[in-house]
Amino acid sequence: MAGFKINQRGIDEMMRQIQKGVERSARRHPIRIPIGTDPLTSSDAHGDIEHDPYLPKALLWLREQEVKQRGHFQNMAVFTERENLSPEEARDFALQLEQYGFVQITRSFSGDDTMVHLTDEGRVEVRRLKQLAGDRVRRADYATNALLRWLYDQDASVEPGKFADAPTASFVGAPLTAGEISSAVAELVSYELAQSPTHRNDNDPYLLQITDGGNACIRSGRAVRNYMETQNTAGTTNNYHGALSCTARSAAESS
């Protein structure tokens, strides 16, 4: 997705509109999310693969190859080469997918463990992933969480449009759209988990960096919306967006 750009004026207007909309919604319908339902810490057997940047892509690729060449084993090294990954990772992907029961590896005396074919469980999983890829709610949640983690890893101000080139900028093998990334930017800013420089001319690139609140969210291991809700119900916020009061911040930092 080279050349992806964030619409700077659109982002500013979007954040203003989202700010107003979220405040209205919070007043009318306060959100209540059970703490135990955090999607990032779910014990669901498919949770790991859904958040992996490559395994869903690998499964979808295997299904495509199977349709083209029925009955043939496929070499995972071809997939890793397509993704510009090292050949050594082909064996790791094959082993991981085998552990899930999604592929069967044909092992040889030469130690080549990269030739695989889909199992029935793998074909069912491909169908599930394709259905999940069209779930707009799950895609939006994933985009927000993935963008925040990416900002955390950057540890500096960065153009959010560059996130589009990151391996994690896809949900179960389907690339995130420009609109989904823009919405994730607006959501993180409205929650004060990310911020842009206060002094910026219209011609300056739109930069974004993680805040102390965003760092705390990442270190908590919780999904963004779950984290914001726990902050709200714990009484550590002044408003729906989770802005910590000075007293609450001091208490949190000293603990």
Side-chain angles (χ1 to χ4, degrees):
M1 298 181 66
F4 178 98
K5 294 182 179 180
I6 290 289
N7 184 328
Q8 298 172 11
R9 294 179 183 274
I11 284 290
D12 292 339
E13 178 62 25
M14 180 187 298
M15 287 188 293
R16 287 193 290 269
Q17 294 301 321
I18 287 181
Q19 179 89 9
K20 295 177 182 178
V22 170
E23 288 176 348
R24 288 196 299 268
S25 178
R27 289 194 295 267
R28 297 174 184 172
H29 309 289
I31 297 176
R32 294 291 181 265
I33 303 176
I35 293 178
T37 61
D38 186 346
L40 292 187
T41 57
S42 171
S43 59
D44 187 279
H46 300 291
D48 291 339
I49 193 171
E50 288 178 12
H51 296 283
D52 189 283
Y54 293 111
L55 292 183
K57 288 183 180 180
L59 273 180
L60 294 172
W61 176 80
L62 285 171
R63 180 54 179 163
E64 290 173 0
Q65 300 307 307
E66 182 182 59
V67 171
K68 296 176 183 177
Q69 301 174 316
R70 293 189 178 277
H72 288 72
F73 280 78
Q74 301 300 327
N75 193 342
M76 291 301 301
V78 176
F79 170 77
T80 55
E81 181 179 2
R82 188 193 75 166
E83 296 295 321
N84 297 315
L85 300 172
S86 65
E88 291 76 14
E89 294 188 75
R91 181 175 180 274
D92 294 338
F93 288 155
L95 290 173
Q96 285 179 283
L97 292 174
E98 185 182 52
Q99 289 178 346
Y100 280 110
F102 298 150
V103 304
Q104 178 182 340
I105 299 175
T106 174
R107 290 177 168 83
S108 64
F109 290 109
S110 63
D112 183 6
D113 295 341
T114 63
M115 301 297 294
V116 306
H117 75 79
L118 282 175
T119 62
D120 288 341
E121 290 83 354
R123 296 182 186 94
V124 171
E125 178 65 3
V126 167
R127 184 174 185 275
R128 189 186 76 88
L129 291 175
K130 288 182 176 180
Q131 292 178 329
L132 190 59
D135 188 325
R136 295 176 60 187
V137 173
R138 294 287 293 274
R139 289 179 65 89
D141 286 344
Y142 174 85
T144 302
N145 294 319
L147 176 59
L148 182 63
R149 180 52 190 258
W150 180 77
L151 289 173
Y152 178 85
D153 292 338
Q154 304 309 303
D155 194 29
S157 296
V158 62
E159 292 183 50
K162 294 182 178 180
F163 172 61
D165 295 321
T168 52
S170 65
F171 178 59
V172 294
L176 296 174
T177 67
E180 288 168 336
I181 295 176
S182 296
S183 295
V185 170
E187 184 171 10
L188 291 179
V189 172
S190 72
Y191 287 153
E192 298 186 3
L193 301 181
Q195 63 185 9
S196 61
T198 55
H199 301 292
R200 178 173 63 84
N201 297 323
D202 289 342
N203 294 327
D204 292 337
Y206 186 89
L207 300 179
L208 200 66
Q209 66 183 30
I210 195 168
T211 63
D212 290 341
N215 285 325
C217 178
I218 290 294
R219 290 193 292 268
S220 75
R222 295 183 179 278
V224 168
R225 293 178 185 178
N226 182 272
Y227 174 80
M228 296 308 302
E229 177 62 19
T230 59
Q231 297 300 295
N232 194 30
T233 56
T236 58
T237 59
N238 285 330
N239 56 46
Y240 176 79
H241 302 297
L244 292 175
S245 66
C246 294
T247 303
R249 278 201 181 99
S250 299
E253 292 171 354
S254 62
S255 60

